[in-house]
């Protein structure tokens, strides 16, 4: 399978982190830096330089924490838990849960069933399950702390430490410019319209204040809720916390409004819009060209998969309740292979499903159904199926490229331009309101010390 197909597949998987990296670091960040520079340069090239530097630091430092911090913290926490207690932090808390009526989850996904089922197949992993079962309350508390820290610490770093440090650098550099005469020390109101002195009504940021002042925040049950979330789901949660922190640390009323507007737009355009664009493009391709492009390109390029489709020997479960038993009985099947590649199911080195993990059976069955739909529409002769698969791969590749392009334009162009339009309305200037607030602050400090 070619590297190109793998790359296209990775970028097209909106449940993974790769599309976010491409859009955020490769497209959105540099385009937004340039746009912010150009917008501010309309009023002051010197302030535009400060704006570009501040945005560059903010975009890439935040992205580094946003993308890598949660798994890093979880891995460190698991090592600490293992060293201090002997418990394996990779045991999913969902396996300890029961339904409201006290019964275990359907599909036998619970710790007792896995201990019994995998006792001989995966004895080391089963011992981890036994240790956790025998120390369930202790393990739940440790896991809740782990997930709390893994989510809250990145929020603090992205929402408070990075912007505060960045703003401090800006204050220092602007103060130096004022001293050196590179920014006018007089006539501030004429050079840049001042930020309105009217304070926003407290109700506008009531939710933010209540978040800060909320006593005794409880994280009971947090671990089991977060345990089955994907990396991108956790990133969405930290992004929401980032938004709250950034609004709270913004310099002045106008920057708070801009930050809130931008943060909400980014949440929607990063985590919601691409999935709907993908579905729309796939439906349109099927309706117009009669080609099913819902399947991952790397699966459509798999010769073994195509042979099984042609020979009508592709084995798949008929309903969701059967997927786990199917995977366990057919660990070398096409479904098991791509469930592993897509991170839906984890396997041990001996090829046995990891009993410490909780499987999203809905997602796994969805993959199975997508394979089945492709197989039902593809021609059953060798030339016909290869031709159909190649057309589907090209169409899917186009759809993925179009999705990245559309979502990137929305994020990197449309959202900033809407933000700039909002800036003109509320501030009457092209200069970043945070820089104006910073300059006013440094000018007052210099006048006071004079």
């Amino acid at each position: 399978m070619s590297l190109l197909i793998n790359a296209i597949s990775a970028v097209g998987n909106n449940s993974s982190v790769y599309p976010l990296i491409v859009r955020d670091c490769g497209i959105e960040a540099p385009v937004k830096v340039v746009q912010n520079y150009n917008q501010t340069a309309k009023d002051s090239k010197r302030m535009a330089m400060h704006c570009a530097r501040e945005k560059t630091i903010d975009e890439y430092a935040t992205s580094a924490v946003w993308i890598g911090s949660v798994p890093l913290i979880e891995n460190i926490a698991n090592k600490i838990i293992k060293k201090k207690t002997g418990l394996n932090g990779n045991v999913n808390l969902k396996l300890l849960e029961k339904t409201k009526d006290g019964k275990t989850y359907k599909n036998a996904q619970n710790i007792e069933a896995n201990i019994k089922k995998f006792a001989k197949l995966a004895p080391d992993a089963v011992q981890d399950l036994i240790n956790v079962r025998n120390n369930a309350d202790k393990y739940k508390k440790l896991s809740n702390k782990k997930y709390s820290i893994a989510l809250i610490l990145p929020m603090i770093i992205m929402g408070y430490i990075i912007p505060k440090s960045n703003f401090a650098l800006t204050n220092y550099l602007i103060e130096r410019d004022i001293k050196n005469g590179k920014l006018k020390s007089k006539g501030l109101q004429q050079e840049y319209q001042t930020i309105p002195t009217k304070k926003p009504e407290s109700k506008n940021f009531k939710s933010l204040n209540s978040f800060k002042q909320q006593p005794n925040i409880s994280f009971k049950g947090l671990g089991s809720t977060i345990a089955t979330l994907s990396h991108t789901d956790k990133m969405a949660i930290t992004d929401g916390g980032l938004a709250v922190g950034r609004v709270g640390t913004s310099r002045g009323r106008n920057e708070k409004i801009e930050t809130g507007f931008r943060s909400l737009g980014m949440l929607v355009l990063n985590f919601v819009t691409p999935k709907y664009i993908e579905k729309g493009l796939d439906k349109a391709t099927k309706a117009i060209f009669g080609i099913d492009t819902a399947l991952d390109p790397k699966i459509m390029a798999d010769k073994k998969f195509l042979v099984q489709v042609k020979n009508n020997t592709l084995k798949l479960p008929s309903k969701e309740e059967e997927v786990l038993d199917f995977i366990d009985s057919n660990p070398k099947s096409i479904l098991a292979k791509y469930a592993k590649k897509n991170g839906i199911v984890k396997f041990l080195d001996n090829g046995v499903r990891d009993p410490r993990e909780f499987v999203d059976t809905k997602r796994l069955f969805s993959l199975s159904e997508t394979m089945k739909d492709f197989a039902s529409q593809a021609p059953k002769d060798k030339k016909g199926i290869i031709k159909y698969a190649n057309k589907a791969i090209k169409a899917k590749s186009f759809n993925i490229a179009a999705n990245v392009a559309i979502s990137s334009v929305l994020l990197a162009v449309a959202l900033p331009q809407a933000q700039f339009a909002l800036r003109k309305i509320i501030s009457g200037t092209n200069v970043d309101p945070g820089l104006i607030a910073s300059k006013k602050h440094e000018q007052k400090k210099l006048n006071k010390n004079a």
Side-chain angles (χ1 to χ4, degrees):
M1 193 180 299
S2 70
L3 292 174
L4 179 60
I5 292 292
N6 283 327
I8 292 171
S9 172
V11 174
N13 184 0
N14 285 305
S15 295
S16 75
V17 71
Y18 299 110
L20 293 172
I21 294 175
V22 171
R23 289 196 302 266
D24 189 71
C25 299
I27 302 174
E28 180 193 354
V31 173
K32 284 172 68 176
V33 169
V34 171
Q35 284 189 96
N36 275 277
Y37 174 86
N38 291 337
Q39 186 71 16
T40 301
K42 293 177 182 179
D43 286 8
S44 168
K45 288 188 176 181
R46 191 66 187 176
M47 290 295 265
M49 291 177 63
H50 287 299
C51 181
R53 173 199 45 75
E54 187 173 276
K55 296 300 180 186
T56 300
I57 294 174
D58 181 64
E59 289 289 338
Y60 285 102
T62 300
S63 292
V65 176
W66 184 52
I67 293 168
S69 61
V70 172
L72 176 63
I73 294 171
E74 288 181 1
N75 287 334
I76 293 173
N78 284 342
K79 290 181 180 179
I80 294 173
I81 291 172
K82 182 70 175 179
K83 184 177 181 180
K84 296 291 185 181
T85 68
L87 301 175
N88 191 322
N90 290 312
V91 176
N92 196 295
L93 280 180
K94 277 283 186 181
L95 297 175
L96 293 170
E97 280 198 344
K98 295 182 178 181
T99 56
K100 292 181 180 180
D101 59 4
K103 296 181 180 179
T104 54
Y105 275 104
K106 66 178 182 178
N107 302 341
Q109 277 208 86
N110 61 84
I111 197 163
E112 294 297 341
N114 282 8
I115 288 173
K116 183 178 179 180
K117 185 175 185 178
F118 294 93
K120 294 181 179 180
L121 297 172
D124 291 340
V126 166
Q127 187 57 54
D128 288 335
L129 294 177
I130 294 172
N131 292 340
V132 168
R133 181 196 62 186
N134 295 341
N135 298 274
D137 291 338
K138 182 178 183 179
Y139 185 74
K140 287 178 182 178
K141 290 178 181 178
L142 289 171
S143 294
N144 285 335
K145 289 180 180 179
K146 174 181 72 175
Y147 290 120
S148 299
I149 294 171
L151 292 180
I152 293 174
L153 184 58
M155 292 180 190
I156 294 172
I157 295 173
M158 294 187 296
Y160 185 82
I161 295 177
I162 290 176
K164 283 291 185 181
S165 301
N166 208 8
F167 296 162
L169 177 61
T170 295
N171 290 342
Y172 167 76
L173 293 174
I174 286 180
E175 180 181 354
R176 189 177 67 179
D177 275 356
I178 294 174
K179 286 181 178 179
N180 295 335
K182 293 181 179 180
L183 283 173
K184 294 181 180 179
S185 59
K186 295 183 181 180
L188 179 64
Q189 187 169 358
Q190 286 73 31
E191 186 176 1
Y192 306 114
Q193 295 185 31
T194 58
I195 297 174
T197 56
K198 181 181 178 182
K199 295 183 179 179
E201 296 180 17
S202 59
K203 65 180 183 180
N204 290 339
F205 297 98
K206 186 176 180 181
S207 59
L208 176 63
N209 293 331
S210 64
F211 176 83
K212 289 180 177 180
Q213 300 169 4
Q214 185 74 12
N216 301 323
I217 296 176
S218 174
F219 294 102
K220 184 178 180 181
L222 176 67
S224 58
T225 301
I226 297 174
T228 54
L229 293 180
S230 67
H231 186 186
T232 53
D233 291 334
K234 293 173 185 175
M235 288 173 66
I237 294 174
T238 57
D239 212 17
L242 163 66
V244 173
R246 287 301 174 90
V247 171
T249 56
S250 293
R251 298 159 292 187
R253 170 181 174 270
N254 290 350
E255 190 176 42
K256 288 182 186 293
I257 295 173
E258 272 200 36
T259 301
F261 175 81
R262 182 182 69 249
S263 298
L264 179 60
M266 289 180 66
L267 269 170
V268 174
L269 294 176
N270 263 322
F271 297 102
V272 180
T273 306
K275 293 182 180 180
Y276 282 98
I277 295 174
E278 179 185 16
K279 290 180 181 179
L281 290 172
D282 287 342
K283 286 183 178 180
T285 303
K286 189 172 183 178
I288 298 172
F289 302 105
I291 302 174
D292 188 347
T293 56
L295 199 58
D296 192 314
K298 63 186 176 185
I299 301 178
M300 294 188 286
D302 191 313
K303 293 181 180 180
K304 290 184 179 179
F305 170 69
L306 296 180
V307 168
Q308 290 182 18
V309 172
K310 180 180 74 71
N311 296 335
N312 201 28
T313 58
L314 180 65
K315 294 182 179 180
L316 296 168
S318 59
K319 51 186 177 180
E320 184 181 342
E321 287 75 13
E322 298 175 354
V323 291
L324 281 181
D325 286 336
F326 179 88
I327 288 291
D328 293 338
S329 301
N330 302 276
K332 294 184 179 181
S333 64
I334 292 293
L335 179 61
K337 176 182 178 179
Y338 286 101
K340 179 182 179 180
K341 285 181 177 291
N342 291 343
I344 302 174
V345 180
K346 291 184 179 180
F347 289 87
L348 301 172
D349 292 338
N350 63 357
V352 175
R353 176 169 64 89
D354 192 340
R356 296 166 298 194
E357 293 291 335
F358 188 92
V359 179
D360 185 345
T361 55
K362 183 177 181 180
R363 186 181 171 199
L364 179 56
F365 186 62
S366 176
L367 174 61
S368 174
E369 289 294 278
T370 306
M371 287 182 175
K372 188 180 296 183
D373 289 342
F374 179 90
S376 66
Q377 296 182 49
K380 296 304 182 284
D381 61 288
K382 185 177 181 180
K383 289 184 179 180
I385 193 171
I386 292 176
K387 186 177 180 180
Y388 180 83
N390 287 336
K391 285 184 177 180
I393 291 171
K394 291 178 181 178
K396 185 65 175 180
S397 300
F398 175 83
N399 287 353
I400 289 172
N403 193 347
V404 171
I406 294 169
S407 55
S408 296
V409 168
L410 291 173
L411 268 169
V413 180
L415 181 60
Q417 290 302 318
Q419 179 186 336
F420 298 153
L422 177 65
R423 178 183 300 174
K424 287 291 288 185
I425 294 173
I426 62 176
S427 303
T429 178
N430 293 306
V431 178
D432 189 305
L435 296 179
I436 296 178
S438 182
K439 182 177 179 182
K440 285 171 65 68
H441 170 76
E442 294 307 316
Q443 186 61 61
K444 287 179 180 178
K445 187 168 70 173
L446 287 173
N447 291 340
K448 185 177 180 180
N449 294 334

mmCIF file of all heavy atoms in Angstrom, residues 73-86:
data_model
loop_
_atom_site.group_PDB
_atom_site.id
_atom_site.type_symbol
_atom_site.label_atom_id
_atom_site.label_comp_id
_atom_site.label_asym_id
_atom_site.label_seq_id
_atom_site.Cartn_x
_atom_site.Cartn_y
_atom_site.Cartn_z
ATOM 1 N N ILE A 73 0.481 13.471 29.674
ATOM 2 C CA ILE A 73 0.158 13.485 31.105
ATOM 3 C C ILE A 73 -0.419 12.141 31.541
ATOM 4 O O ILE A 73 -0.086 11.620 32.613
ATOM 5 C CB ILE A 73 -0.831 14.628 31.420
ATOM 6 C CG1 ILE A 73 -0.153 15.982 31.190
ATOM 7 C CG2 ILE A 73 -1.326 14.538 32.868
ATOM 8 C CD1 ILE A 73 -1.100 17.159 31.252
ATOM 9 N N GLU A 74 -1.282 11.561 30.707
ATOM 10 C CA GLU A 74 -1.873 10.262 31.046
ATOM 11 C C GLU A 74 -0.798 9.181 31.143
ATOM 12 O O GLU A 74 -0.829 8.335 32.043
ATOM 13 C CB GLU A 74 -2.925 9.876 30.013
ATOM 14 C CG GLU A 74 -4.205 10.705 30.109
ATOM 15 C CD GLU A 74 -5.256 10.277 29.091
ATOM 16 O OE1 GLU A 74 -4.996 9.321 28.328
ATOM 17 O OE2 GLU A 74 -6.326 10.890 29.063
ATOM 18 N N ASN A 75 0.155 9.185 30.226
ATOM 19 C CA ASN A 75 1.234 8.192 30.249
ATOM 20 C C ASN A 75 2.103 8.342 31.495
ATOM 21 O O ASN A 75 2.482 7.353 32.132
ATOM 22 C CB ASN A 75 2.105 8.308 28.998
ATOM 23 C CG ASN A 75 1.409 7.784 27.754
ATOM 24 O OD1 ASN A 75 0.533 6.937 27.841
ATOM 25 N ND2 ASN A 75 1.782 8.281 26.596
ATOM 26 N N ILE A 76 2.422 9.585 31.847
ATOM 27 C CA ILE A 76 3.223 9.835 33.052
ATOM 28 C C ILE A 76 2.456 9.388 34.291
ATOM 29 O O ILE A 76 3.006 8.742 35.193
ATOM 30 C CB ILE A 76 3.592 11.329 33.157
ATOM 31 C CG1 ILE A 76 4.558 11.717 32.026
ATOM 32 C CG2 ILE A 76 4.215 11.637 34.515
ATOM 33 C CD1 ILE A 76 4.843 13.200 31.944
ATOM 34 N N ALA A 77 1.154 9.721 34.334
ATOM 35 C CA ALA A 77 0.322 9.334 35.475
ATOM 36 C C ALA A 77 0.231 7.816 35.606
ATOM 37 O O ALA A 77 0.287 7.276 36.720
ATOM 38 C CB ALA A 77 -1.074 9.934 35.327
ATOM 39 N N ASN A 78 0.115 7.117 34.474
ATOM 40 C CA ASN A 78 0.040 5.651 34.512
ATOM 41 C C ASN A 78 1.316 5.040 35.075
ATOM 42 O O ASN A 78 1.273 4.052 35.821
ATOM 43 C CB ASN A 78 -0.220 5.109 33.104
ATOM 44 C CG ASN A 78 -1.662 5.301 32.658
ATOM 45 O OD1 ASN A 78 -2.556 5.537 33.476
ATOM 46 N ND2 ASN A 78 -1.897 5.214 31.368
ATOM 47 N N LYS A 79 2.458 5.619 34.728
ATOM 48 C CA LYS A 79 3.727 5.118 35.253
ATOM 49 C C LYS A 79 3.831 5.347 36.759
ATOM 50 O O LYS A 79 4.328 4.490 37.501
ATOM 51 C CB LYS A 79 4.892 5.803 34.524
ATOM 52 C CG LYS A 79 5.050 5.373 33.081
ATOM 53 C CD LYS A 79 6.221 6.066 32.417
ATOM 54 C CE LYS A 79 6.359 5.611 30.954
ATOM 55 N NZ LYS A 79 7.489 6.291 30.280
ATOM 56 N N ILE A 80 3.334 6.503 37.207
ATOM 57 C CA ILE A 80 3.353 6.809 38.644
ATOM 58 C C ILE A 80 2.423 5.860 39.395
ATOM 59 O O ILE A 80 2.773 5.335 40.461
ATOM 60 C CB ILE A 80 2.946 8.273 38.892
ATOM 61 C CG1 ILE A 80 4.005 9.219 38.300
ATOM 62 C CG2 ILE A 80 2.781 8.543 40.386
ATOM 63 C CD1 ILE A 80 3.618 10.680 38.346
ATOM 64 N N ILE A 81 1.222 5.646 38.843
ATOM 65 C CA ILE A 81 0.260 4.728 39.465
ATOM 66 C C ILE A 81 0.842 3.329 39.566
ATOM 67 O O ILE A 81 0.719 2.652 40.589
ATOM 68 C CB ILE A 81 -1.056 4.709 38.668
ATOM 69 C CG1 ILE A 81 -1.786 6.052 38.803
ATOM 70 C CG2 ILE A 81 -1.977 3.581 39.141
ATOM 71 C CD1 ILE A 81 -2.993 6.192 37.905
ATOM 72 N N LYS A 82 1.499 2.887 38.503
ATOM 73 C CA LYS A 82 2.096 1.547 38.477
ATOM 74 C C LYS A 82 3.199 1.423 39.527
ATOM 75 O O LYS A 82 3.289 0.410 40.252
ATOM 76 C CB LYS A 82 2.669 1.265 37.081
ATOM 77 C CG LYS A 82 3.273 -0.122 36.905
ATOM 78 C CD LYS A 82 2.224 -1.208 36.908
ATOM 79 C CE LYS A 82 2.816 -2.555 36.605
ATOM 80 N NZ LYS A 82 1.809 -3.649 36.613
ATOM 81 N N LYS A 83 4.025 2.450 39.622
ATOM 82 C CA LYS A 83 5.153 2.414 40.554
ATOM 83 C C LYS A 83 4.696 2.473 42.006
ATOM 84 O O LYS A 83 5.233 1.774 42.873
ATOM 85 C CB LYS A 83 6.098 3.583 40.254
ATOM 86 C CG LYS A 83 7.358 3.582 41.103
ATOM 87 C CD LYS A 83 8.288 4.715 40.696
ATOM 88 C CE LYS A 83 9.562 4.693 41.539
ATOM 89 N NZ LYS A 83 10.497 5.792 41.161
ATOM 90 N N LYS A 84 3.685 3.305 42.275
ATOM 91 C CA LYS A 84 3.233 3.512 43.655
ATOM 92 C C LYS A 84 2.292 2.420 44.146
ATOM 93 O O LYS A 84 2.294 2.074 45.335
ATOM 94 C CB LYS A 84 2.541 4.873 43.759
ATOM 95 C CG LYS A 84 3.437 6.068 43.480
ATOM 96 C CD LYS A 84 4.481 6.260 44.560
ATOM 97 C CE LYS A 84 5.300 7.529 44.323
ATOM 98 N NZ LYS A 84 6.337 7.725 45.359
ATOM 99 N N THR A 85 1.454 1.881 43.247
ATOM 100 C CA THR A 85 0.410 0.953 43.685
ATOM 101 C C THR A 85 0.491 -0.429 43.049
ATOM 102 O O THR A 85 -0.151 -1.368 43.520
ATOM 103 C CB THR A 85 -0.985 1.535 43.376
ATOM 104 O OG1 THR A 85 -1.170 1.580 41.944
ATOM 105 C CG2 THR A 85 -1.135 2.925 43.962
ATOM 106 N N GLY A 86 1.239 -0.555 41.964
ATOM 107 C CA GLY A 86 1.298 -1.823 41.252
ATOM 108 C C GLY A 86 0.122 -2.043 40.316
ATOM 109 O O GLY A 86 0.030 -3.081 39.655
#
